[in-house]
């Protein structure tokens, strides 16, 4: 399960990047079904593992990914969205103030040309590692 401190830090970074790009940001539960008239970003998290650092340890470690899906209208060209994805990625390269949280590798997933519909998805996964005491 994604720790709330990880979610809050990643959401804040993504919010700031989206503001600089003049894009709306939605999480998986606030995305709407209305038609969008401009690009937007969908925010998701995925924890891959969580456990104590050792038998009897008070330290907890979680690893996972922050997923950002930049939704772009088809027929508008890819370059500007690749540049926007780079801005989103850069927002996770600055030091974090959340103790125990480290952002690691970034993985970009371009749109699939076989996908139909009016929107193409440029996805970015940001790996993270988080360590804290079990009581926090």
């Amino acid at each position: 399960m994604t720790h709330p401190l990880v979610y809050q830090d990643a959401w804040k970074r993504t919010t700031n990047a989206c503001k600089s790009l003049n894009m709306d940001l939605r999480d998986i539960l606030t995305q709407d079904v209305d038609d969008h008239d401009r690009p937007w970003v969908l925010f998701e998290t995925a924890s891959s593992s969580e456990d104590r650092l050792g038998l009897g340890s008070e330290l907890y470690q979680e690893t996972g990914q922050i997923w950002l899906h930049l939704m772009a209208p088809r027929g508008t060209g890819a370059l500007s969205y690749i540049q926007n994805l780079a801005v989103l990625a850069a927002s996770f390269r600055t030091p974090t103030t959340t103790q125990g949280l480290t952002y690691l590798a970034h993985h970009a997933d371009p749109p699939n040309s076989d996908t139909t519909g009016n929107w193409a998805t440029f996805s970015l996964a940001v790996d993270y590692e988080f360590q804290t005491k079990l009581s926090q």
Side-chain angles (χ1 to χ4, degrees):
M1 182 173 83
T2 305
H3 194 284
L5 292 175
V6 173
Y7 189 96
Q8 290 168 343
D9 184 88
W11 181 263
K12 182 178 179 181
R13 289 168 183 272
T14 308
T15 298
N16 291 337
C18 285
K19 282 182 184 175
S20 76
L21 296 169
N22 194 29
M23 288 188 185
D24 291 334
L25 173 63
R26 305 273 189 231
D27 74 14
I28 196 68
L29 294 178
T30 61
Q31 69 172 332
D32 50 32
V33 294
D34 295 333
D35 288 335
H36 292 271
D37 60 355
R38 61 191 183 107
W40 55 285
V41 175
L42 177 64
F43 178 97
E44 293 182 295
T45 62
S47 298
S48 58
S49 69
E50 58 179 291
D51 204 352
R52 291 179 182 220
L53 283 177
L55 186 61
S57 175
E58 292 183 15
L59 292 178
Y60 158 90
Q61 179 173 299
E62 172 184 295
T63 60
Q65 293 180 320
I66 307 299
W67 279 92
L68 306 177
H69 306 286
L70 194 162
M71 308 302 291
R74 289 197 179 277
T76 56
L79 181 58
S80 65
Y81 300 109
I82 292 169
Q83 293 167 333
N84 290 345
L85 211 58
V87 170
L88 291 167
S91 70
F92 287 89
R93 291 191 182 108
T94 59
T96 178
T97 57
T98 302
Q99 186 175 356
L101 177 59
T102 305
Y103 293 107
L104 305 166
H106 298 76
H107 313 274
D109 186 16
N112 182 336
S113 61
D114 293 333
T115 303
T116 59
N118 295 329
W119 294 87
T121 305
F122 292 80
S123 295
L124 174 70
V126 180
D127 296 339
Y128 72 86
E129 179 179 273
F130 180 63
Q131 295 178 0
T132 190
K133 288 189 174 186
L134 285 171
S135 60
Q136 293 180 331

